[in-house]
Amino acid sequence: RGSEPGTAGTQWFVSLGDFPEMREGTVIGEVVTGMDVVDRISQVSTWPDRVPYHRVAIESVTLVGGEPGR
């Protein structure tokens, strides 16, 4: 949306492979367990712009490792 304060979005993506279109993105993690769930999500039917027909919700995310406060 721009670089002005208060204009950042809160989307994040789980990529199933290389994603060169995401040049300005930041990698924030990786799937370490539950890849079967990612595979099921990847099978959801979508509109031509890749938006799912039905809402897909992530109910929980667990931080594993990493540095506190980062």
Side-chain angles (χ1 to χ4, degrees):
R1 293 185 190 175
S3 59
E4 294 298 314
T7 62
T10 57
Q11 294 183 354
W12 53 274
F13 302 87
V14 177
S15 177
L16 298 173
D18 291 339
F19 196 12
E21 298 90 359
M22 186 61 79
R23 291 186 184 98
E24 296 180 20
T26 301
V27 175
I28 61 170
E30 65 182 299
V31 176
V32 293
T33 62
M35 195 62 193
D36 59 314
V37 176
V38 174
D39 290 336
R40 287 198 322 260
I41 292 170
S42 75
Q43 299 302 311
V44 170
S45 297
T46 62
W47 298 103
D49 61 358
R50 295 193 251 172
V51 173
Y53 288 148
H54 304 285
R55 183 172 181 256
V56 175
I58 305 298
E59 295 179 356
S60 68
V61 175
T62 303
L63 175 64
V64 179
E67 296 179 39
R70 291 192 122 200

